[in-house]
Amino acid sequence: MAEQVESTSPEAMPRMIDFMSSVLERVAKSNDLSRGFEPTQRLSLFHSLTTPTITIHSYLQRIFKYADCSPSCFVVAYVYLDRFTQTQPLLPIDSFNVHRLLIASVLVSAKFMDDIYYNNAYYARVGGISTAEMNLLEVDFLFGLGFQLNVTPATFYTYCSYLQREMLLQSPLHVAESPLNLARRLKLHCSFNEDESAHQKQLAV
């Protein structure tokens, strides 16, 4: 059983992207400080030896511009990132892995949510990695999630509410709509068999 909700306006999503990147930047910086060192070897497929030169904000904007997936894919990708941090506590999001986690999460979200989506080779070009690496990241991300891809409308609304609060905290004069309206304006294809209590919002800092 699934539910469809009207898609958001083109001008609304870039603002959502801005605040998603802001949250992820804070999380990455916080975990960088917690680690207190730079890795001398790759800790996972998602890690690079050095931090990418492109910012999280610019990288997410690039994905939004070229991936051409439905707007709700980015909220669902954010849900997936939260689940990943819960199921993989030894791999917290930091400046060394956030970019690869982002491109993998959006790819998986687009394949699960959208009827039409670009292939892995295209996402690899968008993400600045090889097709072979994109394929490996997708598989590793799916196993990291335990293939738990379903997102209930209640969960979707919860994450929209969190991102909406971030918008209100950072730009109170420019955000007037309610989280429910925000969720309703996003195209949503979701299943109804997920336990909402499992989500502890570990991405929040």
Side-chain angles (χ1 to χ4, degrees), residues 72-110:
S72 57
C73 285
F74 290 89
V75 178
V76 172
Y78 187 81
V79 175
Y80 290 166
L81 288 172
D82 196 10
R83 290 180 184 172
F84 189 89
T85 63
Q86 296 174 48
T87 57
Q88 306 296 322
L90 297 180
L91 292 175
I93 293 175
D94 57 31
S95 296
F96 296 89
N97 63 21
V98 63
H99 295 77
R100 285 179 172 86
L101 284 170
L102 268 174
I103 193 67
S105 65
V106 175
L107 168 67
V108 170
S109 175

Side-chain angles (χ1 to χ4, degrees), residues 83 148 150 152 154-155 192-200:
R83 290 180 184 172
Q148 298 300 309
N150 291 336
T152 66
T155 297
F192 285 75
N193 59 356
E194 182 181 25
D195 181 9
E196 168 66 16
S197 64
H199 296 277
Q200 302 300 320

Side-chain angles (χ1 to χ4, degrees), residues 5-204:
V5 185
E6 185 179 354
S7 62
T8 188
S9 60
E11 67 274 8
M13 272 311 293
R15 190 164 65 239
M16 172 73 80
I17 294 299
D18 289 344
F19 288 99
M20 283 180 63
S21 65
S22 177
V23 171
L24 291 172
E25 283 168 0
R26 291 207 315 272
V27 171
K29 288 178 181 177
S30 175
N31 287 329
D32 288 346
L33 292 173
S34 297
R35 280 188 181 276
F37 67 93
E38 294 188 1
T40 56
Q41 59 182 2
R42 294 184 68 173
L43 302 178
S44 73
L45 287 175
F46 300 100
H47 281 78
S48 58
L49 290 177
T50 59
T51 57
T53 56
I54 187 171
T55 66
I56 297 172
H57 181 263
S58 296
Y59 195 67
L60 195 53
Q61 282 191 322
R62 175 178 171 81
I63 296 172
F64 174 75
K65 180 178 180 180
Y66 294 108
D68 198 29
C69 56
S70 61
S72 57
C73 285
F74 290 89
V75 178
V76 172
Y78 187 81
V79 175
Y80 290 166
L81 288 172
D82 196 10
R83 290 180 184 172
F84 189 89
T85 63
Q86 296 174 48
T87 57
Q88 306 296 322
L90 297 180
L91 292 175
I93 293 175
D94 57 31
S95 296
F96 296 89
N97 63 21
V98 63
H99 295 77
R100 285 179 172 86
L101 284 170
L102 268 174
I103 193 67
S105 65
V106 175
L107 168 67
V108 170
S109 175
K111 287 187 174 184
F112 186 73
M113 299 286 289
D114 291 350
D115 295 327
I116 300 174
Y117 48 83
Y118 288 112
N119 61 22
N120 286 26
Y122 181 86
Y123 269 89
R125 290 196 296 272
V126 172
I129 57 178
S130 68
T131 302
E133 184 174 12
M134 186 74 261
N135 294 340
L136 290 172
L137 291 178
E138 179 188 19
V139 172
D140 214 45
F141 191 75
L142 286 168
F143 275 97
L145 288 173
F147 292 87
Q148 298 300 309
L149 302 181
N150 291 336
V151 177
T152 66
T155 297
F156 189 87
Y157 170 78
T158 297
Y159 282 83
C160 281
S161 298
Y162 174 71
L163 291 169
Q164 188 80 353
R165 287 196 299 272
E166 289 298 309
M167 292 181 188
L168 289 169
L169 287 172
Q170 297 185 42
S171 185
L173 298 179
H174 299 287
V175 183
E177 68 178 329
S178 69
L180 182 58
N181 286 338
L182 177 65
R184 283 175 174 167
R185 292 172 61 207
L186 291 161
K187 182 182 178 184
L188 181 60
H189 305 268
C190 295
S191 298
F192 285 75
N193 59 356
E194 182 181 25
D195 181 9
E196 168 66 16
S197 64
H199 296 277
Q200 302 300 320
K201 310 301 176 290
Q202 292 186 4
L203 284 180

